[in-house]
Each structure stands twice: as C-alpha cells, then as structure tokens.
DNA sequence: GCTTGACTTAGAGTTAACTCTAAAGATTAA
DNA sequence: TTAATCTTTAGAGTTAACTCTAAGTCAAGC
C-alpha cells in the first residue's frame, strides 16, 4: 500500500507543492512513481520525510539535508559521515537551546517589567523597584 | 559618548549593512544623527539592539519587531500590547523548545544507530539489537 | 462514458532578510 | 594636508524556501 503526494503531505504537515519542490531539489530520490507517472509514497518514504522534518526543524538547510540523503543512497561507506552529521547537528541544537534559554530570561524580565508598568499605567518601573534595574543590567550586559 | 555604526555593529554582532537595513525598515527610529549626518548610537540604542536581537533570535519576524518598536515610540498607552507581545513570544519560545526536545531525541537515536553501524561497518543494526527497532518506532510514530 | 478532483511538469513569482555597489561626504592619523 | 578608512544614500542583487500557475494527464464515483 502506498500514499499519493497529497496524502503524504497531510501525514507530515506539508503541502504537495512543498513535497514536489523537495523532490525537484533532490531530497526525495527514494520516492518511486507508478506506471502512469504518479508519485507513490511508501511507509518507509514517510519515515524519510519525518527525518527530513526533524533536520529542517532544527535549522539544517535543505542543501545539507540533501547531502545526508545522498550519503544514505551511496551505501555503507558513508556511515561515518552520516554519524558525524548527526553529532554536529546535536551540537548545534544544544547551542541553540542555550541561546534560547538566555533569550527567554530576557523575555521573562520584560514580562515582569511590563506587568508592573501595566498595573500602574506608566513606565516608572525602576523608580518603584530599583532591584529590577540591577536585574536588567545583569541580563543585558553582554 | 556615542558609537559609530561600525562600532555598534561590532558590539551586537551584526554588520553595519544590516543595521542600515534595519534603520531603513523602521526598526531604529531612536537612533539620532550628528550634524554631519552620521548615525550616533548611544548606550541606550545598544540596549534596543539587544532587545531586537533577542526577539529576532527567538524567531520573531522583523515586521513584528517593528510593530513593538512602534508601540514603544507611541508611549504608555501601548503598554498592554507590549506586555501581550512578550507573553505571546514566551509561549512561542516554549513551544519551540518542546519541539526541539523531540527532535533532539530523534537525533540522539540516530547517533546511537550510526555508532553501532560504524562499529560493524554495515546497517544491520536492528538485527543485532531488536530493542532499537522498538525505540525507533516509538520515536517516529507520530 | 463523464465529471470532478487530484496529479503531472516546467517555470514564474514571492517573501524575508539580508548583502552589496557606487559615488560622494566625513573623520582620523601621520 | 593628504591618504586611508570610515560613513552616507539609493537602489540593485542574492539566497533560501517556498508558492503558485498553466496546461495537460489520471483516477474514482455515478
């Protein structure tokens, strides 16, 4: 059993247009076509799409995703490259997570700041609460 | 004391080109110019840039960042909108973090998978370790 | 058999966010 | 004062990742 491009698209939360675009970019060399030329997505193809989504969702550009797919198609000789790619990606994700953590602290500060401001209808927050000013300096000093 | 566009750019890790682009897009209405027409960035302007970086770094499009800046320029009446914006942004960041967490699990799985494959020089990982296949199914079932 | 809707391709268009260029003016160091 | 190195503008060009269009083909239900 297999899925049409529209069904596959729905299953992974993309559009058929996007899947065709990926195919054109060489990201879906594994997808076969029926005798009449329609793409037929297998369960295994859907898993490929999920891996692509995972890599795209963690910020890997399509070009590098294609590189990975190409390695997969080349066979066992490229296992070290593929392992290395995932190790690098893990590193990037963790760096990104750390960055977001820092950004989140700033956002939380701003929420505190504007909550006070909203309550009083003005921005004299630091005059009311000088400790917040210290906190701000720490958060934005780098 | 104030900074030239190049100095400011260096301080926040952007290029002078990018800062001019931001200015053109209306993101830097607070930056004043010298009598001879050069932009002069104050300490306070640098802080603005850091907030912009925080919002951009957590995925907010420049258009919406401009909306926030515009609200700031409008005065106290827009405090509720600004508070709301940061609350929404916090929500987005936390959703994104959760997504990345899931992606990271898949990446960690792939690392395990390819480590085994690299050790043996082939991809018969699931024949050697059927438990990994179960783990894979759980990770990619959604 | 016919209609309706999904599929095919090539290729054009869009959007966001830069990124660069050219020509001219400003600033700094020797 | 002069050379080198900024900075200014308007506007063009780039890149990634879609997004859409047109004209035609295919498939499923009646």
């Amino acid at each position: 059993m297999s899925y049409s491009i529209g069904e596959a698209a729905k299953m992974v939360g993309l559009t058929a247009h996007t899947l065709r675009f990926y195919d054109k970019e060489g990201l879906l060399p594994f997808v076969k076509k029926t005798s009449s030329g329609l793409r037929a997505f297998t369960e295994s193809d859907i898993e490929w799409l999920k891996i692509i989504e995972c890599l795209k969702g963690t910020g890997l550009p399509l070009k590098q995703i294609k590189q990975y797919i190409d390695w997969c198609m080349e066979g066992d000789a490229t296992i070290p490259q593929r392992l290395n790619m995932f190790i690098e990606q893990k590193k990037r994700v963790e760096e990104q997570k750390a960055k977001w953590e820092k950004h989140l602290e700033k956002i939380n500060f701003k929420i505190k700041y504007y909550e006070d401001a909203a309550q009083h209808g003005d921005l004299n927050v630091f005059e009311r609460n000088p400790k917040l000013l210290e906190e701000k300096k720490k958060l934005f000093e780098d």
Side-chain angles (χ1 to χ4, degrees), chain A residues 42-89:
Chain A
T42 66
E43 288 291 351
S44 148
D45 293 347
I46 303 292
E47 276 198 18
W48 276 107
L49 292 181
K50 286 178 185 167
I51 293 161
I52 289 172
E53 272 304 278
C54 169
L55 292 171
K56 188 178 58 128
T58 50
L60 200 68
L62 296 190
K63 259 189 196 174
Q64 292 184 53
I65 297 177
K66 174 173 161 39
Q67 169 69 275
Y68 166 66
I69 306 269
D70 288 346
W71 278 331
C72 291
M73 295 300 128
E74 274 178 47
D76 293 1
T78 63
I79 289 171
Q81 286 96 313
R82 296 187 240 167
L83 171 57
N84 187 59
M85 200 221 69
F86 277 106
I87 289 172
E88 288 295 312
Q89 189 60 5

Side-chain angles (χ1 to χ4, degrees), chain A residues 1 4 7 10-11 17 26 32 34 43 47 50-51 60 66 69 77 79 93 96 102 111 128 132-133 135 140:
Chain A
M1 213 265 166
S4 75
E7 290 167 332
K10 206 168 269 179
M11 288 171 83
H17 279 310
K32 300 281 177 284
T34 66
E43 288 291 351
E47 276 198 18
K50 286 178 185 167
I51 293 161
L60 200 68
K66 174 173 161 39
I69 306 269
I79 289 171
V93 170
Q96 195 58 34
K102 283 208 159 185
I111 289 173
R128 283 189 287 272
L132 263 190
L133 187 56
E135 194 177 327
F140 288 90

Side-chain angles (χ1 to χ4, degrees), chain A residues 4-23:
Chain A
S4 75
I5 195 169
E7 290 167 332
K10 206 168 269 179
M11 288 171 83
V12 296
L14 296 169
T15 70
H17 279 310
T18 302
L19 288 184
R20 278 188 212 105
F21 166 70
Y22 284 1
D23 199 4

Side-chain angles (χ1 to χ4, degrees), chain A residues 103-119 125 132 135 139-140:
Chain A
H103 288 323
L104 198 50
E105 281 177 26
K106 290 177 189 169
I107 290 169
N108 281 329
F109 169 83
K110 281 289 185 181
I111 289 173
K112 243 193 297 184
Y113 175 85
Y114 280 123
E115 268 171 356
D116 180 293
Q119 205 162 22
V125 178
L132 263 190
E135 194 177 327
L139 282 172
F140 288 90

